Amino acid sequence: MAVNRRLAGAGLLAVGLAAALAGGLTISALASTVAETYPLTPAGFTVGGIAVLLALVVPVGVSTGILRAMRSRGYTPAPSAVAGLTLLLTNLAWIVGIQVASPVPVRVLVAERGTWVVDAMLGSGPFGPAALPVLSREIVDLQDAQTLAVAAPMWCDETAGGFAVGLADGLRNGAPAALSDALGDILVRHGVGVDQPGGAVANIPEDLDGQGLLDDVRDIASAFGPAVDLPPLVASDLTPGVVERKRIEFASGWEARYEHGAWRWCTGTVRDAATRGHAYAAAIRLEQERAPVAAGPAAGPWDRDVRAALQAAAFGRSAWLAGVSTVGPDFGNALTQTAAAAQAEKIRNWCTQAAEDPARKTAVESVASRWTLPAPGKAVDASVQALLEAQGRRYLEDVLAACGPVAGDRQVREAARGLNVPDAQRRRWAELEARNLASAATLSDNGTGGVKVEVDGRTLVAVQEDGAWRIDWRD
């Protein structure tokens, strides 16, 4: 008899625990409809705690009170039976109450949101219909994103790959051979078959690592020209259509896909993305080629050329001071030989002191050895100085090549101290300063065949040297 009683109690407890699981699932599904408007992971833990409290802790507490009341009246009930029966009845009450009061039937609620609390606590999801509120917020961020750095992480592989192919294809068209070949090599390495600019879009493989390709193309694009705003992105109708666990179609033709641990957006076809990539490449080209124009009439026929040289010289100085890792040859080409030698010597002096890695020190010292230069701070022999000033742009080129990695090390050290500024951002700062400086400069003929340049409290001179206008900027 006692054995049968224990078995019956154990059976009731098992049924009660099963009811608690069903009740907790139903409660969490209902609570998720409210909690989805809050940050996902803390909301998941909160909803899980509420479900455990109402489905398990409260019924167990009630059963403990019932046991005490029965024992005070002389009964000797089986605790497992009382606990199981209380769990069963309480959770049946929760489920029936939710079925009656909720606008969504329990069957649909559990089917759509049964895994919400687990997905939310793990930060992986939610999936299926429960993901729609999250995606409705993300789409606003995606449509408002104006820069590639912000938008790219929200794109699915297909869109990222199409945009990358369009961007690479657009930059290759008419580009110098070195740039065109580098972009072509990247496309081929990712399986995009292309022989010449304009033919890449038709050869995009289905298994393309779009995000990886886009990262590689962005590295080249950032060296080619300044970052620009993305072309507008507008979807006419974002009404959900087919809703699957990890894929949701919208009436506009867009899709949301769960990739790489997050929901990402396919904003149209691959060709749509490639078209935007082409437009982005065209905008980069326009910005890269644009020279600053004075607010008033040109000071002379040389006005535009002198301002372009001033902008390139100012960018080189600002980029180095801002810690940009790669300055590029335009800096030296914008300077006279004498000015280039002076700028190179300043950079070499800084670089010698800043280089900590032995390999970096060796590279800088090898430049000094090739040019027979003394240690920084020591007087340069007159004959060596004459050589530097005769080949200043070549000397500056050598110094920049050796010191670029030291500038990269500087960024690493600054990041370790909490100042994590990307190289592209440093470049944008330098570009903005250079463009503003070149636009604000006052130019006038100095009467000796050169141009007087007054800017930012300085008085500089631009002269014709080796067939081009160059700035004699030594400080």
Side-chain angles (χ1 to χ4, degrees):
M1 184 68 179
V3 173
N4 291 338
R5 187 179 179 185
R6 282 196 296 270
L7 288 174
L12 273 174
L13 182 60
V15 171
L17 290 173
L21 178 61
L25 188 65
T26 306
I27 292 168
S28 68
L30 178 65
S32 72
T33 61
V34 177
E36 66 193 5
T37 60
Y38 297 96
L40 192 62
T41 302
F45 280 100
T46 301
V47 168
I50 292 172
V52 170
L53 176 67
L54 296 181
L56 185 63
V57 176
V58 168
V60 169
V62 171
S63 69
T64 301
I66 293 173
L67 282 170
R68 288 176 180 172
M70 293 179 70
R71 286 168 180 164
S72 68
R73 288 172 171 74
Y75 297 102
T76 57
S80 58
V82 173
L85 189 58
T86 306
L87 284 167
L88 175 62
L89 295 176
T90 303
N91 282 284
L92 280 176
W94 288 129
I95 294 171
V96 171
I98 292 172
Q99 172 71 22
V100 172
S102 172
V104 181
V106 167
R107 177 176 55 81
V108 177
L109 195 64
V110 172
E112 292 186 352
R113 297 178 174 272
T115 65
W116 186 93
V117 67
V118 176
D119 297 333
M121 286 191 291
L122 295 177
S124 60
F127 303 115
L132 289 172
V134 176
L135 293 174
S136 67
R137 295 194 296 272
E138 287 186 356
I139 191 58
V140 175
D141 295 336
L142 179 61
Q143 290 180 309
D144 289 344
Q146 294 184 338
T147 65
L148 184 57
V150 173
M154 292 188 277
W155 291 341
C156 72
D157 267 340
E158 186 176 291
T159 293
F163 187 93
V165 171
L167 174 57
D169 218 31
L171 292 179
R172 290 181 74 222
N173 192 12
L179 175 64
S180 181
D181 291 346
L183 290 168
D185 289 344
I186 289 173
L187 292 174
V188 171
R189 188 167 69 244
H190 284 269
V192 181
V194 55
D195 296 324
Q196 58 185 4
V201 176
N203 299 311
I204 300 177
E206 293 184 0
D207 59 347
L208 177 67
D209 176 12
Q211 290 289 344
L213 173 58
L214 183 56
D215 286 343
D216 289 346
V217 173
R218 284 173 62 189
D219 285 342
I220 301 296
S222 65
F224 176 81
V228 297
D229 287 346
L230 286 167
L233 178 66
V234 179
S236 57
D237 188 354
L238 287 173
T239 304
V242 177
V243 180
E244 299 175 2
R245 179 171 170 77
K246 294 189 176 183
R247 176 177 169 274
I248 299 176
E249 294 182 3
F250 294 86
S252 62
W254 290 16
E255 285 188 11
R257 298 178 184 175
Y258 195 82
E259 294 179 345
H260 309 298
W263 283 99
R264 301 178 189 274
W265 288 88
C266 295
T267 56
T269 65
V270 174
R271 288 187 174 276
D272 293 337
T275 299
R276 293 189 77 221
H278 270 286
Y280 189 74
I284 290 178
R285 285 182 172 281
L286 181 64
E287 191 69 13
Q288 193 267 344
E289 295 170 357
R290 188 180 70 177
V293 179
W302 30 254
D303 188 287
R304 184 178 181 85
D305 293 335
V306 171
R307 289 184 190 278
L310 179 61
Q311 179 173 325
F315 171 74
R317 293 179 76 259
S318 298
W320 190 262
L321 293 173
V324 174
S325 62
T326 305
V327 175
D330 288 346
F331 181 32
N333 291 335
L335 299 171
T336 63
Q337 297 281 17
T338 304
Q343 296 290 347
E345 192 63 359
K346 290 177 183 293
I347 294 173
R348 181 180 75 93
N349 290 347
W350 174 86
C351 199
T352 302
Q353 302 298 323
E356 296 179 354
D357 187 297
R360 308 281 197 255
K361 286 183 177 293
T362 300
V364 178
E365 289 169 355
S366 67
V367 172
S369 177
R370 287 198 303 273
W371 290 86
T372 63
L373 295 169
K378 299 294 182 65
V380 179
D381 183 84
S383 61
V384 175
Q385 185 65 39
L387 176 64
L388 292 182
E389 293 181 356
Q391 301 186 38
R393 288 190 287 274
R394 174 68 182 275
Y395 174 43
L396 178 58
E397 181 181 342
D398 287 352
V399 170
L400 290 175
C403 291
V406 181
D409 293 342
R410 169 186 167 183
Q411 293 185 18
V412 173
R413 290 195 300 272
E414 290 177 352
R417 295 195 296 269
L419 185 63
N420 190 9
V421 181
D423 198 59
Q425 179 61 61
R426 297 170 188 262
R427 185 177 295 275
R428 283 194 290 272
W429 287 338
E431 287 165 351
L432 179 62
E433 182 177 0
R435 187 170 296 138
N436 291 340
L437 187 144
S439 299
T442 300
L443 308 183
S444 59
D445 193 327
N446 68 357
T448 60
V451 176
K452 181 181 179 181
V453 180
E454 297 176 285
V455 59
D456 198 25
R458 296 180 175 89
T459 299
L460 307 171
V461 176
V463 298
Q464 282 271 7
E465 186 178 274
D466 300 327
W469 284 101
R470 306 185 195 274
I471 312 297
D472 192 32
W473 194 343
R474 307 186 194 187
D475 67 346

